[in-house]
């Protein structure tokens, strides 16, 4: 089992920055990737960024050049550096972890943290 705890969301003006974090605990040794998803009111949950166990990254087109995902393996924590924020970035941001155990795969989700971009 894996538990994910998020922090660092909040209210910021357009053009500002935030850096939420996600700490993983429990049976963390089989995690092969982590990432961030977001969901705005009335919209489907969408992928924002992912990072694999060999530090390969992937970003949604809408955030490329503005967001950076990183991980600290010693702390088993993933960060999302968000810069040049836009009102359309407003959403609940969810941390995600994927693990592989033999032929089985598991997905875990954090509780979500609210990010609001408004003037």
């Amino acid at each position: 089992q894996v538990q994910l705890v998020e922090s660092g969301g909040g209210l910021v003006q357009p053009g500002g920055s935030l850096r939420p974090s996600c700490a993983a605990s429990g049976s963390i040794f089989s995690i092969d990737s982590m990432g961030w998803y977001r969901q705005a009111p009335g919209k489907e949950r969408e992928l924002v960024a992912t990072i694999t166990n060999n530090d390969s990254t992937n970003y949604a087109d809408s955030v490329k050049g503005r967001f950076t995902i990183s991980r600290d393996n010693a702390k088993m924590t993933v960060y999302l550096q968000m810069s040049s924020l836009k009102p359309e970035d407003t959403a609940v941001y969810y941390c995600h972890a994927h693990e592989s155990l033999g032929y089985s795969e598991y997905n875990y989700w954090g509780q979500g943290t609210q990010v609001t971009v408004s003037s």
Side-chain angles (χ1 to χ4, degrees), residues 5-49:
V5 179
E6 299 155 311
S7 63
L11 174 65
V12 65
Q13 292 184 326
S17 299
L18 284 173
R19 195 189 186 217
S21 62
C22 172
S25 62
S27 301
I28 63 175
F29 299 109
S30 59
I31 293 175
D32 50 40
S33 69
M34 296 183 69
W36 292 90
Y37 292 69
R38 67 187 182 186
Q39 187 168 23
K43 303 293 182 65
E44 296 182 351
R45 186 174 298 186
E46 64 176 354
L47 183 147
V48 177

Coordinates of all heavy atoms in Angstrom, one line a residue, residues 5-49:
V5 N 0.6 12.3 0.3 CA 0.1 13.4 1.0 C 0.6 14.7 0.3 O 1.8 14.8 0.1 CB 0.7 13.4 2.5 CG1 0.2 14.7 3.2 CG2 0.2 12.2 3.2
E6 N -0.3 15.5 -0.1 CA 0.0 16.7 -0.9 C 0.0 18.0 0.0 O -0.7 18.0 1.0 CB -1.0 16.9 -2.0 CG -1.0 15.7 -3.0 CD -2.3 15.6 -3.7 OE1 -3.3 15.6 -3.1 OE2 -2.3 15.5 -5.0
S7 N 0.8 19.0 -0.4 CA 0.7 20.3 0.2 C 1.3 21.3 -0.7 O 1.9 21.0 -1.7 CB 1.6 20.3 1.5 OG 2.9 20.0 1.2
G8 N 1.0 22.6 -0.5 CA 1.6 23.7 -1.2 C 0.7 24.3 -2.2 O 1.1 25.2 -3.0
G9 N -0.6 24.0 -2.3 CA -1.5 24.7 -3.1 C -1.9 26.0 -2.5 O -1.4 26.4 -1.4
G10 N -2.7 26.8 -3.2 CA -3.1 28.1 -2.7 C -3.6 29.0 -3.7 O -3.9 28.6 -4.9
L11 N -3.7 30.3 -3.4 CA -4.1 31.4 -4.2 C -3.0 32.2 -4.7 O -2.1 32.6 -3.9 CB -5.1 32.3 -3.5 CG -5.6 33.5 -4.2 CD1 -6.4 33.1 -5.4 CD2 -6.4 34.4 -3.3
V12 N -2.9 32.5 -6.0 CA -1.8 33.2 -6.6 C -2.4 34.1 -7.8 O -3.3 33.7 -8.4 CB -0.7 32.3 -7.1 CG1 -1.2 31.4 -8.3 CG2 0.5 33.1 -7.5
Q13 N -1.7 35.2 -8.0 CA -2.1 36.1 -9.1 C -1.6 35.5 -10.5 O -0.6 34.8 -10.5 CB -1.6 37.5 -8.9 CG -2.3 38.2 -7.7 CD -1.8 39.7 -7.6 OE1 -0.7 40.0 -7.9 NE2 -2.7 40.5 -7.2
P14 N -2.3 35.9 -11.6 CA -1.7 35.5 -12.9 C -0.3 35.9 -13.0 O 0.1 37.1 -12.7 CB -2.7 36.2 -13.9 CG -3.9 36.4 -13.1 CD -3.6 36.6 -11.7
G15 N 0.5 35.0 -13.6 CA 2.0 35.3 -13.7 C 2.8 34.9 -12.5 O 4.0 34.9 -12.6
G16 N 2.1 34.5 -11.5 CA 2.9 34.1 -10.3 C 3.3 32.6 -10.3 O 3.1 31.9 -11.3
S17 N 3.8 32.1 -9.2 CA 4.4 30.8 -9.1 C 3.9 30.1 -7.8 O 3.6 30.7 -6.8 CB 5.9 30.8 -9.1 OG 6.4 31.4 -10.3
L18 N 3.8 28.8 -7.9 CA 3.5 27.9 -6.8 C 4.4 26.6 -7.0 O 4.7 26.2 -8.1 CB 2.1 27.5 -6.7 CG 1.1 28.5 -6.1 CD1 -0.3 28.0 -6.3 CD2 1.4 28.8 -4.7
R19 N 4.6 25.9 -5.8 CA 5.4 24.7 -5.9 C 4.8 23.7 -4.9 O 5.4 23.4 -3.9 CB 6.9 24.9 -5.6 CG 7.8 23.8 -5.9 CD 9.2 24.0 -5.4 NE 10.1 23.0 -5.9 CZ 11.1 22.5 -5.1 NH1 11.3 22.9 -3.9 NH2 11.9 21.6 -5.6
P20 N 3.7 23.0 -5.3 CA 3.2 22.0 -4.4 C 4.1 20.8 -4.4 O 4.9 20.5 -5.3 CB 1.8 21.7 -5.1 CG 1.9 22.1 -6.5 CD 2.9 23.3 -6.5
S21 N 4.0 20.0 -3.3 CA 4.8 18.8 -3.2 C 3.9 17.6 -2.8 O 2.8 17.8 -2.3 CB 5.8 19.0 -2.1 OG 5.3 19.2 -0.8
C22 N 4.4 16.4 -3.0 CA 3.7 15.2 -2.7 C 4.6 14.2 -2.1 O 5.6 13.8 -2.8 CB 3.0 14.6 -4.0 SG 2.3 13.0 -3.8
A23 N 4.4 13.8 -0.9 CA 5.2 12.8 -0.2 C 4.6 11.4 -0.2 O 3.4 11.3 0.2 CB 5.5 13.3 1.2
A24 N 5.3 10.4 -0.6 CA 4.8 9.0 -0.7 C 5.4 8.2 0.5 O 6.5 8.4 0.9 CB 5.2 8.3 -2.0
S25 N 4.5 7.4 1.1 CA 5.0 6.5 2.2 C 4.3 5.2 2.1 O 3.4 5.0 1.3 CB 4.6 7.2 3.6 OG 3.2 7.4 3.7
G26 N 4.7 4.2 2.9 CA 4.2 2.9 2.8 C 5.2 2.0 2.0 O 6.4 2.0 2.1
S27 N 4.6 1.1 1.2 CA 5.3 0.2 0.3 C 5.8 0.9 -0.9 O 5.2 0.7 -2.0 CB 4.5 -1.1 0.0 OG 4.1 -1.7 1.2
I28 N 6.8 1.7 -0.8 CA 7.2 2.7 -1.9 C 8.2 2.1 -2.8 O 8.4 2.7 -3.9 CB 7.7 4.0 -1.3 CG1 9.0 3.7 -0.5 CG2 6.7 4.6 -0.4 CD1 9.7 4.9 0.0
F29 N 8.8 0.9 -2.5 CA 9.9 0.5 -3.3 C 9.5 0.0 -4.7 O 10.4 -0.1 -5.6 CB 10.7 -0.6 -2.6 CG 11.2 -0.2 -1.3 CD1 10.7 -0.6 0.0 CD2 12.3 0.7 -1.2 CE1 11.2 -0.2 1.2 CE2 12.8 1.1 0.0 CZ 12.3 0.7 1.2
S30 N 8.3 -0.3 -4.9 CA 7.8 -0.8 -6.2 C 7.2 0.3 -7.1 O 6.8 0.0 -8.2 CB 6.8 -1.9 -6.1 OG 5.7 -1.5 -5.3
I31 N 7.2 1.5 -6.6 CA 6.8 2.7 -7.4 C 7.7 2.9 -8.6 O 8.9 3.0 -8.4 CB 6.6 3.9 -6.6 CG1 5.6 3.8 -5.5 CG2 6.4 5.1 -7.5 CD1 5.5 5.0 -4.6
D32 N 7.1 2.9 -9.8 CA 8.0 3.2 -11.0 C 7.7 4.5 -11.6 O 8.5 4.9 -12.5 CB 7.8 2.1 -12.0 CG 6.4 1.7 -12.3 OD1 5.5 2.7 -12.4 OD2 6.0 0.5 -12.5
S33 N 6.7 5.2 -11.3 CA 6.4 6.6 -11.8 C 5.5 7.3 -10.8 O 4.7 6.7 -10.1 CB 5.8 6.5 -13.2 OG 4.5 6.0 -13.2
M34 N 5.6 8.6 -10.8 CA 4.7 9.5 -10.1 C 4.3 10.7 -11.0 O 5.0 11.0 -12.0 CB 5.3 10.0 -8.8 CG 5.6 8.8 -7.8 SD 6.2 9.4 -6.2 CE 4.8 10.3 -5.5
G35 N 3.3 11.4 -10.6 CA 2.9 12.5 -11.5 C 1.8 13.3 -10.8 O 1.4 13.1 -9.7
W36 N 1.4 14.3 -11.6 CA 0.3 15.2 -11.2 C -0.8 15.3 -12.2 O -0.5 15.3 -13.4 CB 0.9 16.7 -11.0 CG 1.8 16.8 -9.8 CD1 3.2 16.7 -9.8 CD2 1.4 17.2 -8.5 NE1 3.7 16.9 -8.6 CE2 2.6 17.2 -7.7 CE3 0.2 17.4 -7.9 CZ2 2.6 17.5 -6.4 CZ3 0.2 17.8 -6.5 CH2 1.4 17.8 -5.8
Y37 N -2.0 15.2 -11.8 CA -3.2 15.4 -12.6 C -4.0 16.6 -12.0 O -3.8 17.0 -10.9 CB -4.0 14.2 -12.6 CG -3.4 13.0 -13.4 CD1 -2.3 12.3 -12.9 CD2 -4.0 12.6 -14.6 CE1 -1.7 11.3 -13.5 CE2 -3.4 11.5 -15.3 CZ -2.3 10.8 -14.7 OH -1.7 9.8 -15.4
R38 N -4.9 17.2 -12.8 CA -5.7 18.2 -12.3 C -7.1 18.1 -12.9 O -7.3 17.5 -13.9 CB -5.1 19.6 -12.7 CG -5.1 20.0 -14.1 CD -4.4 21.3 -14.4 NE -4.4 21.6 -15.8 CZ -3.7 22.7 -16.3 NH1 -3.0 23.4 -15.5 NH2 -3.8 23.0 -17.6
Q39 N -8.1 18.7 -12.1 CA -9.5 18.6 -12.5 C -10.1 20.0 -12.1 O -10.2 20.3 -11.0 CB -10.2 17.5 -11.8 CG -11.6 17.3 -12.3 CD -12.2 16.0 -11.9 OE1 -11.8 15.4 -10.9 NE2 -13.2 15.5 -12.6
A40 N -10.6 20.7 -13.1 CA -11.4 21.9 -13.0 C -12.8 21.6 -12.9 O -13.3 20.6 -13.4 CB -11.1 22.9 -14.1
P41 N -13.6 22.5 -12.2 CA -15.1 22.2 -12.2 C -15.7 22.0 -13.5 O -15.5 22.8 -14.5 CB -15.6 23.5 -11.5 CG -14.5 24.0 -10.7 CD -13.2 23.7 -11.5
G42 N -16.5 20.9 -13.7 CA -17.1 20.6 -14.9 C -16.3 20.0 -16.0 O -16.7 19.8 -17.1
K43 N -15.0 19.8 -15.6 CA -14.1 19.2 -16.6 C -13.6 17.8 -16.2 O -13.7 17.5 -15.0 CB -12.9 20.2 -16.8 CG -13.2 21.6 -17.2 CD -13.8 21.6 -18.7 CE -14.1 23.0 -19.1 NZ -12.9 23.8 -19.2
E44 N -13.0 17.1 -17.1 CA -12.5 15.8 -16.8 C -11.1 16.0 -16.2 O -10.4 16.9 -16.5 CB -12.4 14.9 -18.1 CG -13.7 14.5 -18.7 CD -13.6 13.6 -19.9 OE1 -12.4 13.5 -20.4 OE2 -14.6 13.1 -20.4
R45 N -10.7 15.0 -15.4 CA -9.3 15.0 -14.9 C -8.3 14.8 -16.0 O -8.5 13.9 -16.9 CB -9.2 13.9 -13.8 CG -7.8 13.9 -13.1 CD -7.7 12.9 -12.0 NE -8.7 13.2 -10.9 CZ -8.8 12.6 -9.8 NH1 -7.9 11.6 -9.5 NH2 -9.8 12.9 -8.9
E46 N -7.3 15.6 -16.0 CA -6.3 15.5 -17.1 C -4.9 15.4 -16.5 O -4.6 15.9 -15.5 CB -6.4 16.8 -18.0 CG -6.1 18.1 -17.3 CD -6.1 19.3 -18.3 OE1 -6.2 19.1 -19.5 OE2 -6.0 20.4 -17.8
L47 N -4.0 14.8 -17.3 CA -2.6 14.7 -16.9 C -1.9 16.0 -17.1 O -2.1 16.7 -18.0 CB -1.9 13.6 -17.8 CG -0.5 13.3 -17.5 CD1 -0.2 11.9 -17.9 CD2 0.5 14.2 -18.4
V48 N -1.1 16.3 -16.1 CA -0.3 17.5 -16.1 C 1.2 17.2 -16.4 O 1.8 17.7 -17.3 CB -0.4 18.3 -14.8 CG1 0.5 19.5 -14.8 CG2 -1.8 18.7 -14.5
A49 N 1.8 16.3 -15.6 CA 3.2 15.9 -15.7 C 3.4 14.6 -15.0 O 2.8 14.3 -14.0 CB 4.1 17.0 -15.2

